[in-house]
Amino acid sequence: MKQLGFGTMRLPTVHGQVDLMETERLFDRFLAAGFTYFDTAYGYHDYKSELFVREALVRRHPRETFLLADKMPVWLAKEPADLARLFNEQLEKTGAGYFDYYLLHSLNEKNIAAADAVDAWGFVKQKKAEGLVKRIGFSFHDTAETLDKLLTLHPEIEFVQLQINYADWESERVQSRLCYETARRHGKDVIIMEPVRGGSLAQLQPSLAAPFAAHDPGATLASWALRFCASLEGVIMVLSGMSDMAQVEDNIKTFSPLQPLSAAERAVVEEVREALTKVPSIPCTRCNYCTETCPAEIPIPGILRALNDSRTYGDAYAAAQYANACRDKAQASACLGCEVCLSRCPQHIKITEHLHEASAKFERRDD
């Protein structure tokens, strides 16, 4: 099993809708290059990602030629019976017959309590015993201390999916390194999500990326980020949310074959990481959990990205990004202040404050 996995959170779109034909092209190229792992979830792409996976992958390729991972949205399970209903719905939507990897999704303090309340742990163990799941794990967004407690309570878990990238490696908030070390201390395999930090590490400003360019002018910024993750011991999969063929081709090149970072290259990555810590930014990974519950339907990730762009590339460039994000959608000023988005954000971003900032910076007012 090659270490590169296809994440379906960011499938290609046209006019805001997933482009199924292009998705098929990307999936086919990925498989033709010898890569087999696909990752989806109940809520991706407005609860339709599993359907796109069925059409672009499951119906077009023999089941034994690919591995499919899916996730249980524990926050939607109010009683134990809901777990079976959601799981059966996922089997039906994907048409996969079984899941090679199955995760309790996005565990943090709140979602752990939700999982415990309906014994989601016992449920996934049962599904594995029934042969409907091959390996069980969970994706995680909390502290290393919480992860340690969770893995101590549930030694049956076979792998964990963690947010790891070189920018967040020493982050006190994300705790990439500490969580990784905790998982390995418990002997668990690690799957990495957000290795390019929502794409941000693929578009560093030239001054920040200079050490990379000096060491290897032909390497892309994304390849540095992916190789950092894949070089870690115990990492069985690095997920990349690929949206176009250029990304697919670059990632295939990076992993064909993978060259682990040398000591000199690790020093270059550390130099860039240190420089990044001095640039203030909003740590949005564009997971879109916030938009699922926003009553005003504000394109929050796009707005936060524009704010980050303003700090990195200047207001003129960022204003165009803001206008594009809000095209045919609500602007930041439409925020109702309900703060529902705050409870859904795995990165604990103060979203409402940033929406007020964006409104003041980018929205034109006629006085």
Side-chain angles (χ1 to χ4, degrees):
M1 183 172 67
K2 294 186 177 182
Q3 278 179 282
L4 175 64
F6 202 125
T8 64
M9 181 188 288
R10 302 181 179 99
L11 295 175
T13 59
V14 175
H15 305 303
Q17 301 297 318
V18 168
D19 185 337
L20 183 58
M21 290 185 63
E22 183 64 10
T23 298
E24 291 176 355
R25 288 184 65 238
L26 302 189
F27 283 8
D28 290 354
R29 177 68 183 107
F30 187 76
L31 285 165
F35 298 90
T36 59
Y37 190 98
F38 294 82
D39 171 272
T40 189
Y42 188 83
Y44 292 173
H45 287 286
D46 295 324
Y47 304 95
K48 297 177 182 177
S49 174
E50 292 161 329
L51 297 174
F52 297 128
V53 166
R54 181 186 67 196
E55 297 303 316
L57 178 67
V58 177
R59 286 186 171 177
R60 299 175 62 252
H61 296 277
R63 182 63 181 89
E64 67 274 11
T65 63
F66 62 86
L67 301 171
L68 184 60
D70 208 338
K71 309 178 187 73
M72 170 62 70
V74 293
W75 57 90
L76 295 180
K78 306 306 179 185
E79 55 185 54
D82 289 334
L83 296 172
R85 175 181 57 79
L86 290 164
F87 184 83
N88 291 336
E89 182 181 346
Q90 291 178 300
L91 282 178
E92 181 180 357
K93 287 168 70 176
T94 61
Y98 63 91
F99 298 116
D100 300 279
Y101 289 72
Y102 196 73
L103 302 82
L104 301 183
H105 196 183
S106 193
L107 295 193
N108 53 23
E109 183 178 357
K110 181 178 180 181
N111 289 340
I112 291 169
D116 290 344
V118 294
D119 190 23
W121 309 97
F123 178 82
V124 294
K125 286 174 60 179
Q126 180 60 37
K127 291 304 166 186
K128 181 180 178 181
E130 295 172 3
L132 295 175
V133 170
K134 304 302 182 184
R135 300 193 75 196
I136 57 175
F138 58 82
S139 60
F140 185 77
H141 294 279
D142 212 305
T143 66
E145 181 181 3
T146 299
L147 180 60
D148 182 57
K149 293 177 181 177
L150 208 53
L151 292 176
T152 299
L153 287 171
H154 298 285
E156 71 276 12
I157 290 300
E158 298 168 279
F159 67 95
V160 292
Q161 186 163 303
L162 301 173
Q163 178 176 318
I164 295 177
N165 55 70
Y166 68 78
D168 290 324
W169 189 240
E170 298 294 349
S171 166
E172 293 183 7
R173 178 182 54 81
V174 180
Q175 299 188 8
S176 280
R177 178 180 61 80
L178 293 176
C179 285
Y180 164 75
E181 291 174 351
T182 298
R184 294 304 299 153
R185 189 167 62 251
H186 281 268
K188 305 304 179 184
D189 288 338
V190 174
I191 294 176
I192 290 180
M193 55 185 163
E194 303 296 353
V196 195
R197 208 185 192 196
S200 63
L201 298 182
Q203 52 186 348
L204 300 176
Q205 62 174 322
S207 60
L208 292 170
F212 289 146
H215 189 87
D216 186 352
T220 63
L221 296 180
S223 70
W224 280 96
L226 291 169
R227 288 177 62 216
F228 170 83
C229 291
S231 298
L232 296 170
E233 184 269 336
V235 170
I236 62 170
M237 191 59 54
V238 180
L239 300 177
S240 177
M242 293 170 272
S243 303
D244 57 48
M245 191 61 77
Q247 294 173 357
V248 172
E249 294 291 357
D250 184 52
N251 289 353
I252 288 174
K253 180 181 178 182
T254 299
F255 284 82
S256 300
L258 174 75
Q259 296 293 333
L261 292 179
S262 66
E265 289 173 322
R266 288 196 297 272
V268 173
V269 172
E270 178 61 18
E271 181 180 353
V272 174
R273 189 195 68 78
E274 285 284 351
L276 281 171
T277 63
K278 300 173 184 176
V279 179
S281 65
I282 304 166
C284 175
T285 65
R286 292 186 291 158
C287 67
N288 287 301
Y289 297 153
C290 56
T291 61
E292 294 174 3
T293 54
C294 178
E297 299 184 354
I298 299 170
I300 296 169
I303 291 173
L304 298 185
R305 181 174 182 176
L307 281 174
N308 278 338
D309 286 344
S310 73
R311 301 171 185 182
T312 306
Y313 306 110
D315 288 351
Y317 173 83
Q321 299 301 103
Y322 179 83
N324 183 63
C326 297
R327 183 176 290 119
D328 300 323
K329 297 181 180 179
Q331 296 190 67
S333 57
C335 176
L336 302 174
C338 66
E339 299 189 348
V340 174
C341 57
L342 302 185
S343 64
R344 295 287 287 121
C345 179
Q347 314 305 324
H348 311 294
I349 297 169
K350 297 179 179 179
I351 294 173
T352 52
E353 293 182 14
H354 290 304
L355 291 179
H356 291 314
E357 177 187 354
S359 176
K361 182 184 290 287
F362 299 125
E363 293 181 23
R364 185 176 170 184
R365 291 174 174 79
D366 297 320
D367 297 327

